[in-house]
C-alpha cells in the first residue's frame, strides 16, 4: 500500500474505482447502494442556454451556406455582405427555435456594447461555427478576443482590469495552456533545465509532476498553506513566512491555482499584497503562472494578474463553470507590457540569435515577436504555425459562453451553480460531523479534509498518533472504496497533508454528499473502535 501512495491521485483513483465496483457487484443483490465517485471534478451540470444558441446559430450558418451554393450535400462558404440583415430576418422567421432569443441578444451585445460592425461580427460567428477555414488570426478570432477579454475582466478582475491591454491565446482547455506555457518558457530561455521554481501547495497534481520531466528538471520550492484556525481545523491559508520564500531571486517562476485545488479557497488580500511587495522590492523578474479556472465560484474574485499584470501569465478554462470539460475551451492571457518579453530581450546575444533562427520563418523581424505569439507558434512546433489555433467552432462556443455571462441570464446561472456546490458542502459536513474554517472566499468546488487533524480534534492526540503509526495514509481511501463503494482522492497527491482527502463537490447529486459524509464518520468510528480494543 505504501508503494501505491507514489502514484498520481488520478491513477490511484482507478484502483479505488475497481475496489468500489467489486464491492458494489458483491452487494448488488443485498442492497441498492450505488458507487459514489466523488474523485474527479467533472461537474454534473451544464449551461444549456449558450449551447442552444450555438446549435441555432449552426442552423442559420447552414441556411447561409446553401444560399451561396446548393447541391447534393454541398454548400458554400457563408458570405459577409448583408449577413446581419439576413440573421435578423432568420430570427424573426424562427421565434420558436431553442436559444434563438439568447443568440439574438448576444449578437446585440456585440454591436451595442463593443461597437462591432454588424456584418463582420455575424460573419465571424457564422463562418466560425461552420469550421470552413483555418483560424485567422491563429491566436484568437478578433471579435472573440474582445468578448472573452470582457468576460475575464468581469469574472476574474472584478471589473477593475489592469491599465495595459490583455492579449489572449485560445487553447484546447487549461491543460493545453499549461503545456504550452512551460514549453515556450523553456524554448525561449526564460526558464532553463535545473532552474528553481516554486509551487503554492496543495495544487493540481500535474503542476507537481511536470517540473520533474526530462525536458524541464526544475528544482522545486514548495510554499505550504498550513495555517490552522484551531486544533484540528485547517485554515488552508499561507503563512507569511511561507510566502516569503518567493523573495529568493533564484526562484524564477511560481505556479498557483487560484482558487486553490483542492482546498478551493481564493488567494487572500494579505498574500496577494505580500507577493506584490516581493515583486516590487526583491524579485522583480518573478514569472507568476496563475490557473484561475475556479474564479467564477467566488463572488468578487480578483486574480493576481490584476495586481501584478506585468509578471503574470493567466490561465483560464471554461470547463468547470459551464459543464464543458469535453469542449476543451481555455485561454492564456498576457498583458502587453510584461516581464517575459523583457527577459527575452535581455538574453545574451547568442541566445537571441538562436531564437531569431527559430522564429525566422514567421517574421522578417523575429526579435520583435511577442511571447504570446511565440506561444502560438511553439504550440505547433513553429513550422506548422500557419495551421495553429483553436478550432473555430470551439471559439464560437467560447464566445457564446462569454456573452451569456455578460447578460442577466448568465449572472443568474452563476449564482445557481455557486449555490449547488455550497449546498453539497453543507450536506457533506453535516454527514461527516466535521468542522471546517468559515471563509467567505471559499469556492467550494472541492473540499480537502485533513483526517489526522480531525482525529485529534474529536478523539485526541493519542488516537491521531495511533492512526499515523498503524496505517498508511491511503488506508482510509481503500476502506471507503471497499466497504462503502465511495471513491475519493488522496490529498497527499496534491502535495497536501498525507492524511488528507479530496472530495469533489461537483459531480454527484446533492444527497450523495450526505451519504459520503456518513460513510466518513462511520469509518472514523471503526478506526476508533479498533484503537479502543487494543
Amino acid at each position: 500500500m505504501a508503494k501505491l501512495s507514489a502514484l498520481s491521485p488520478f491513477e490511484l483513483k482507478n484502483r479505488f474505482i475497481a475496489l468500489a465496483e467489486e464491492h458494489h457487484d458483491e452487494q448488488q443483490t443485498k442492497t441498492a447502494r450505488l458507487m459514489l465517485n466523488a474523485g474527479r471534478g467533472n461537474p454534473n451540470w451544464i449551461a444549456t442556454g449558450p449551447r442552444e444558441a450555438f446549435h441555432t446559430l449552426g442552423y442559420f450558418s447552414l441556411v447561409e451556406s446553401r444560399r451561396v451554393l446548393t447541391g447534393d450535400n454541398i454548400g458554400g462558404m457563408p458570405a459577409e455582405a448583408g449577413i446581419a440583415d439576413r440573421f435578423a430576418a432568420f430570427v424573426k422567421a424562427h421565434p420558436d427555435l431553442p436559444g434563438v432569443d439568447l443568440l439574438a441578444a448576444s449578437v446585440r451585445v456585440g454591436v451595442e456594447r463593443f461597437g462591432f460592425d454588424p456584418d463582420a461580427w455575424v460573419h465571424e460567428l457564422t463562418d466560425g461555427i461552420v469550421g470552413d477555414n483555418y483560424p485567422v488570426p491563429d491566436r484568437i478570432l478578433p471579435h472573440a478576443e474582445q468578448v472573452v477579454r470582457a468576460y475575464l475582466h468581469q469574472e476574474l478582475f472584478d471589473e477593475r482590469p489592469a491599465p495595459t491591454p490583455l492579449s489572449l491565446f485560445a487553447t484546447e482547455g487549461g491543460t493545453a495552456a499549461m503545456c504550452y506555457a512551460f514549453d515556450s518558457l523553456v524554448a525561449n530561455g526564460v526558464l532553463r533545465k535545473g532552474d528553481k521554481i516554486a509551487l503554492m501547495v496543495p495544487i493540481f497534481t500535474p503542476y507537481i509532476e511536470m517540473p520533474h520531466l526530462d525536458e524541464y528538471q526544475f528544482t522545486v520550492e514548495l510554499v505550504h498553506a498550513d495555517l490552522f484556525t484551531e486544533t484540528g481545523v485547517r485554515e488552508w491559508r499561507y503563512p507569511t513566512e511561507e510566502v516569503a520564500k518567493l523573495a529568493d531571486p533564484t526562484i524564477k517562476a511560481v505556479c498557483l491555482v487560484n482558487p486553490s485545488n483542492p482546498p478551493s479557497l481564493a488567494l487572500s488580500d494579505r498574500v496577494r499584497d505580500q507577493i506584490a511587495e516581493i515583486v516590487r522590492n526583491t524579485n522583480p523578474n518573478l514569472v507568476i503562472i496563475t490557473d484561475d479556472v475556479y474564479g467564477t465560484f467566488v463572488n468578487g474574485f480578483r486574480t493576481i494578474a490584476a495586481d501584478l499584470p506585468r509578471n503574470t501569465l493567466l490561465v483560464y478554462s471554461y470547463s468547470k463553470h459551464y459543464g464543458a470539460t469535453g469542449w476543451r475551451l481555455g485561454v492564456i492571457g498576457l498583458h502587453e507590457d510584461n516581464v517575459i518579453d523583457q527577459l527575452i530581450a535581455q538574453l545574451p546575444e547568442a541566445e537571441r540569435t538562436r531564437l531569431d533562427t527559430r522564429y525566422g520563418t514567421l517574421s522578417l523581424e523575429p526579435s520583435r515577436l511577442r511571447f504570446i505569439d511565440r506561444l502560438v507558434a511553439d504550440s505547433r512546433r513553429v513550422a506548422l504555425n500557419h495551421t495553429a489555433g483553436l478550432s473555430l467552432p470551439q471559439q464560437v462556443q467560447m464566445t457564446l459562453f462569454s456573452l451569456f455571462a455578460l447578460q442577466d441570464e448568465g449572472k443568474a446561472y452563476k449564482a445557481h451553480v455557486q449555490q449547488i456546490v455550497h449546498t453539497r458542502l453543507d450536506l457533506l459536513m453535516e454527514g461527516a460531523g466535521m468542522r471546517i474554517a468559515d471563509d467567505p472566499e471559499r469556492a467550494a468546488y472541492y473540499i480537502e479534509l485533513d483526517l489526522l487533524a480531525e482525529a485529534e480534534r474529536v478523539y485526541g492526540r493519542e488516537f491521531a498518533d495511533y492512526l499515523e503509526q498503524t496505517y498508511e495514509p491511503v488506508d482510509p481511501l481503500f476502506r471507503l472504496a471497499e466497504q462503502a463503494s465511495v471513491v475519493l482522492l488522496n490529498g497527499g497527491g496534491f502535495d497536501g497533508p498525507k492524511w488528507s482527502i479530496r472530495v469533489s463537490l461537483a459531480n454527484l447529486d446533492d444527497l450523495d454528499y450526505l451519504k459520503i459524509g456518513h460513510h466518513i464518520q462511520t469509518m472514523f468510528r471503526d478506526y476508533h473502535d479498533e484503537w479502543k480494543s487494543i
Side-chain angles (χ1 to χ4, degrees), residues 139-205:
R139 184 164 53 79
I140 189 171
L141 294 175
H143 298 92
E145 182 171 28
Q146 294 186 58
V147 170
V148 173
R149 184 188 295 120
Y151 167 71
L152 296 177
H153 284 166
Q154 173 180 291
E155 299 298 336
L156 303 186
F157 290 74
D158 194 26
E159 294 286 16
R160 293 175 289 146
T164 56
L166 178 68
S167 297
L168 301 175
F169 170 27
T171 63
E172 302 87 345
T175 51
M178 290 168 55
C179 296
Y180 296 159
F182 275 109
D183 283 349
S184 280
L185 287 169
V186 171
N188 284 277
V190 178
L191 293 178
R192 301 177 184 277
K193 276 190 178 184
D195 274 353
K196 191 174 185 180
I197 70 168
L199 302 177
M200 300 188 74
V201 296
I203 195 170
F204 184 42
T205 306

Side-chain angles (χ1 to χ4, degrees), residues 264-382:
S264 210
L265 297 172
L267 211 60
S268 68
D269 291 344
R270 172 184 60 80
V271 171
R272 286 207 319 270
D273 290 345
Q274 186 181 358
I275 296 174
E277 183 179 358
I278 286 170
V279 168
R280 281 194 301 268
N281 298 325
T282 56
N283 199 356
N285 293 332
L286 180 68
V287 175
I288 302 168
I289 301 171
T290 183
D291 183 340
D292 293 356
V293 58
Y294 306 104
T296 54
F297 291 87
V298 176
N299 287 326
F301 176 80
R302 186 162 172 82
T303 175
I304 197 168
D307 299 315
L308 291 169
R310 195 164 186 276
N311 293 73
T312 305
L313 194 69
L314 172 67
V315 172
Y316 177 73
S317 167
Y318 288 72
S319 61
K320 303 305 194 296
H321 186 70
Y322 295 97
T325 53
W327 262 105
R328 315 312 300 144
L329 304 178
V331 289
I332 296 174
L334 187 64
H335 288 88
E336 287 189 9
D337 176 22
N338 65 82
V339 73
I340 299 176
D341 284 332
Q342 173 191 309
L343 290 171
I344 293 171
Q346 292 173 348
L347 287 169
E349 184 178 356
E351 275 291 283
R352 286 185 279 115
T353 299
R354 177 184 68 82
L355 293 175
D356 285 351
T357 301
R358 178 180 179 86
Y359 300 109
T361 59
L362 308 182
S363 171
L364 294 177
E365 296 181 285
S367 63
R368 297 175 66 87
L369 274 178
R370 301 180 305 159
F371 181 71
I372 192 79
D373 295 311
R374 296 175 188 227
L375 274 167
V376 179
D378 292 335
S379 75
R380 296 299 183 269
R381 291 293 186 265
V382 182

